[in-house]
Amino acid sequence: MLLREVAPPSIAVVQGLATAAGCQLACSCDLVLAADTAAFQLPGAANGGFCHTPAVAVAQRTSASAVAEMAFLAEKIPAERAERLGLVNRVIPRAKLYSEARKVAEKIAKADPAQIQRGKQVLYQQMLKPTLAEKYACAEPAMLEMFSTPASQETDGEEVPTLRFARRLDARPF
Protein backbone atom coordinates (compact mmCIF):
# COMPACT_ATOMS: atom_id res chain seq x y z
CA MET A 1 0.00 0.00 0.00
CA LEU A 2 2.94 2.30 0.70
CA LEU A 3 4.00 2.07 -2.96
CA ARG A 4 0.78 3.86 -3.92
CA GLU A 5 1.32 6.53 -1.28
CA VAL A 6 4.96 7.44 -1.93
CA ALA A 7 5.44 10.45 -4.17
CA PRO A 8 7.70 9.10 -6.91
CA PRO A 9 6.34 6.50 -9.29
CA SER A 10 7.58 3.00 -8.46
CA ILE A 11 8.97 0.72 -11.15
CA ALA A 12 9.13 -3.06 -10.81
CA VAL A 13 11.76 -4.78 -12.92
CA VAL A 14 11.01 -8.49 -13.20
CA GLN A 15 13.59 -10.77 -14.78
CA GLY A 16 12.46 -14.20 -13.54
CA LEU A 17 9.45 -15.73 -11.81
CA ALA A 18 7.40 -13.33 -9.69
CA THR A 19 5.45 -15.70 -7.49
CA ALA A 20 3.08 -15.07 -4.57
CA ALA A 21 4.46 -12.08 -2.62
CA GLY A 22 6.87 -11.29 -5.48
CA CYS A 23 3.92 -11.07 -7.87
CA GLN A 24 2.10 -8.97 -5.27
CA LEU A 25 5.05 -6.59 -4.96
CA ALA A 26 5.44 -6.19 -8.74
CA CYS A 27 1.70 -5.59 -9.20
CA SER A 28 1.76 -3.00 -6.40
CA CYS A 29 4.19 -0.82 -8.38
CA ASP A 30 3.05 1.94 -10.72
CA LEU A 31 4.92 0.49 -13.69
CA VAL A 32 6.01 -3.09 -14.33
CA LEU A 33 8.79 -3.85 -16.78
CA ALA A 34 9.41 -7.53 -17.43
CA ALA A 35 12.04 -9.49 -19.28
CA ASP A 36 10.73 -11.66 -22.08
CA THR A 37 11.78 -14.60 -19.88
CA ALA A 38 9.75 -13.45 -16.85
CA ALA A 39 6.58 -15.08 -15.56
CA PHE A 40 3.96 -14.35 -12.92
CA GLN A 41 2.20 -16.83 -10.64
CA LEU A 42 -0.17 -17.09 -7.71
CA PRO A 43 0.86 -20.61 -6.61
CA GLY A 44 -1.24 -21.05 -3.46
CA ALA A 45 -3.89 -23.36 -4.92
CA ALA A 46 -1.21 -25.72 -6.28
CA ASN A 47 -0.03 -26.31 -2.72
CA GLY A 48 -3.45 -26.75 -1.10
CA GLY A 49 -3.78 -23.11 -0.06
CA PHE A 50 -4.71 -19.84 -1.67
CA CYS A 51 -2.86 -16.57 -2.38
CA HIS A 52 -5.35 -14.29 -0.62
CA THR A 53 -3.27 -11.14 -0.19
CA PRO A 54 -1.18 -11.43 -3.38
CA ALA A 55 -4.46 -11.64 -5.32
CA VAL A 56 -5.43 -8.17 -4.04
CA ALA A 57 -2.57 -6.45 -5.87
CA VAL A 58 -3.03 -8.61 -8.97
CA ALA A 59 -6.74 -7.74 -9.05
CA GLN A 60 -5.84 -4.04 -9.08
CA ARG A 61 -3.98 -4.46 -12.37
CA THR A 62 -6.10 -6.96 -14.28
CA SER A 63 -9.62 -8.25 -14.79
CA ALA A 64 -11.62 -10.37 -12.35
CA SER A 65 -11.50 -13.33 -14.73
CA ALA A 66 -7.71 -13.11 -15.09
CA VAL A 67 -7.01 -12.93 -11.35
CA ALA A 68 -9.48 -15.78 -10.77
CA GLU A 69 -7.66 -17.92 -13.31
CA MET A 70 -4.31 -17.15 -11.72
CA ALA A 71 -5.59 -17.81 -8.19
CA PHE A 72 -7.55 -21.00 -8.90
CA LEU A 73 -5.24 -22.65 -11.44
CA ALA A 74 -1.90 -21.49 -9.98
CA GLU A 75 -0.27 -21.60 -13.42
CA LYS A 76 2.70 -19.50 -14.50
CA ILE A 77 1.72 -16.65 -16.79
CA PRO A 78 4.49 -15.81 -19.31
CA ALA A 79 5.49 -12.15 -19.66
CA GLU A 80 3.84 -11.68 -23.07
CA ARG A 81 0.49 -12.91 -21.75
CA ALA A 82 0.94 -10.90 -18.55
CA GLU A 83 1.33 -7.81 -20.72
CA ARG A 84 -1.92 -8.57 -22.54
CA LEU A 85 -3.66 -9.05 -19.18
CA GLY A 86 -2.41 -5.68 -17.91
CA LEU A 87 -0.03 -7.06 -15.29
CA VAL A 88 2.98 -5.74 -17.23
CA ASN A 89 3.48 -2.40 -18.97
CA ARG A 90 6.36 -3.47 -21.21
CA VAL A 91 8.06 -6.73 -22.11
CA ILE A 92 11.73 -6.21 -22.91
CA PRO A 93 14.44 -8.62 -24.07
CA ARG A 94 16.25 -9.76 -20.94
CA ALA A 95 19.62 -8.41 -22.10
CA LYS A 96 18.14 -4.89 -22.36
CA LEU A 97 15.87 -4.97 -19.31
CA TYR A 98 17.97 -2.89 -16.91
CA SER A 99 19.06 -0.33 -19.49
CA GLU A 100 15.42 0.14 -20.55
CA ALA A 101 14.34 0.42 -16.91
CA ARG A 102 16.94 3.13 -16.42
CA LYS A 103 15.67 5.02 -19.48
CA VAL A 104 12.11 4.88 -18.11
CA ALA A 105 13.26 6.13 -14.70
CA GLU A 106 15.31 8.93 -16.28
CA LYS A 107 12.35 10.01 -18.40
CA ILE A 108 10.15 10.24 -15.31
CA ALA A 109 12.91 12.09 -13.44
CA LYS A 110 12.97 14.82 -16.11
CA ALA A 111 9.38 15.82 -15.33
CA ASP A 112 8.45 18.31 -12.62
CA PRO A 113 8.45 16.22 -9.41
CA ALA A 114 5.54 18.18 -7.92
CA GLN A 115 3.41 17.57 -11.02
CA ILE A 116 4.31 13.88 -11.12
CA GLN A 117 3.47 13.52 -7.43
CA ARG A 118 0.13 15.30 -7.81
CA GLY A 119 -0.59 13.42 -11.03
CA LYS A 120 0.02 10.06 -9.37
CA GLN A 121 -2.21 10.99 -6.46
CA VAL A 122 -5.08 12.15 -8.68
CA LEU A 123 -4.68 9.24 -11.10
CA TYR A 124 -5.33 6.71 -8.35
CA GLN A 125 -8.05 8.81 -6.69
CA GLN A 126 -10.08 9.13 -9.88
CA MET A 127 -9.71 5.42 -10.62
CA LEU A 128 -11.68 4.71 -7.43
CA LYS A 129 -14.65 6.81 -8.52
CA PRO A 130 -17.61 4.81 -9.83
CA THR A 131 -18.85 7.09 -12.62
CA LEU A 132 -17.19 8.93 -15.48
CA ALA A 133 -18.59 12.23 -14.21
CA GLU A 134 -17.05 11.64 -10.77
CA LYS A 135 -13.73 10.72 -12.36
CA TYR A 136 -13.64 14.01 -14.27
CA ALA A 137 -14.80 15.94 -11.19
CA CYS A 138 -11.80 14.52 -9.36
CA ALA A 139 -9.27 15.18 -12.14
CA GLU A 140 -10.43 18.57 -13.42
CA PRO A 141 -9.38 20.70 -10.41
CA ALA A 142 -5.89 19.24 -10.53
CA MET A 143 -5.63 19.94 -14.25
CA LEU A 144 -6.79 23.54 -13.82
CA GLU A 145 -4.44 23.97 -10.85
CA MET A 146 -1.56 22.72 -12.99
CA PHE A 147 -2.40 25.16 -15.78
CA SER A 148 -2.39 28.05 -13.30
CA THR A 149 1.28 27.54 -12.39
CA PRO A 150 3.86 29.96 -13.80
CA ALA A 151 5.62 27.13 -15.65
CA SER A 152 2.46 26.28 -17.57
CA GLN A 153 2.14 29.85 -18.78
CA GLU A 154 5.50 29.83 -20.57
CA THR A 155 5.12 30.15 -24.31
CA ASP A 156 7.99 27.87 -25.43
CA GLY A 157 8.31 30.07 -28.50
CA GLU A 158 4.61 29.83 -29.35
CA GLU A 159 2.36 32.87 -29.58
CA VAL A 160 -0.36 31.40 -27.36
CA PRO A 161 0.57 30.57 -23.76
CA THR A 162 -0.45 27.14 -22.55
CA LEU A 163 -2.91 28.53 -20.02
CA ARG A 164 -4.92 30.52 -22.56
CA PHE A 165 -4.96 27.51 -24.88
CA ALA A 166 -6.32 25.34 -22.06
CA ARG A 167 -9.04 27.86 -21.29
CA ARG A 168 -10.10 28.01 -24.93
CA LEU A 169 -10.39 24.21 -25.03
CA ASP A 170 -12.32 24.23 -21.75
CA ALA A 171 -14.76 26.83 -23.08
CA ARG A 172 -15.49 24.92 -26.27
CA PRO A 173 -18.80 22.99 -26.18
CA PHE A 174 -18.57 19.29 -27.00
Side-chain angles (χ1 to χ4, degrees):
M1 291 185 296
L2 183 60
L3 288 168
R4 282 280 173 98
E5 295 171 14
V6 296
S10 55
I11 304 169
V13 180
V14 182
Q15 65 178 353
L17 177 60
T19 182
C23 187
Q24 177 181 0
L25 180 59
C27 289
S28 295
C29 291
D30 299 306
L31 298 173
V32 180
L33 308 179
D36 52 4
T37 57
F40 298 80
Q41 183 181 27
L42 296 178
N47 301 316
F50 198 83
C51 285
H52 298 280
T53 56
V56 172
V58 174
Q60 291 295 303
R61 292 192 69 92
T62 192
S63 68
S65 61
V67 71
E69 178 184 344
M70 288 180 71
F72 296 135
L73 300 181
E75 297 171 343
K76 293 177 186 173
I77 304 293
E80 293 80 16
R81 180 153 186 249
E83 183 179 32
R84 289 192 304 272
L85 294 175
L87 297 177
V88 171
N89 295 92
R90 295 181 184 180
V91 175
I92 301 162
R94 186 174 179 156
K96 296 181 179 183
L97 182 62
Y98 289 101
S99 64
E100 288 297 315
R102 184 172 185 84
K103 287 178 188 175
V104 168
E106 288 172 348
K107 187 171 188 172
I108 292 169
K110 287 180 184 177
D112 178 348
Q115 293 300 338
I116 292 293
Q117 178 181 358
R118 180 76 171 126
K120 178 178 172 174
Q121 179 185 43
V122 172
L123 174 68
Y124 290 121
Q125 285 175 352
Q126 66 85 17
M127 288 170 65
L128 297 173
K129 304 296 181 187
T131 68
L132 187 60
E134 289 173 291
K135 290 174 188 293
Y136 277 112
C138 178
E140 183 179 359
M143 188 75 168
L144 294 174
E145 178 184 311
M146 180 185 69
F147 278 123
S148 69
T149 64
S152 73
Q153 297 179 35
E154 294 174 5
T155 62
D156 294 331
E158 298 176 16
E159 291 182 22
V160 180
T162 306
L163 180 60
R164 286 195 302 204
F165 180 71
R167 285 185 181 155
R168 283 200 327 232
L169 285 178
D170 189 46
R172 207 182 290 172
F174 291 96

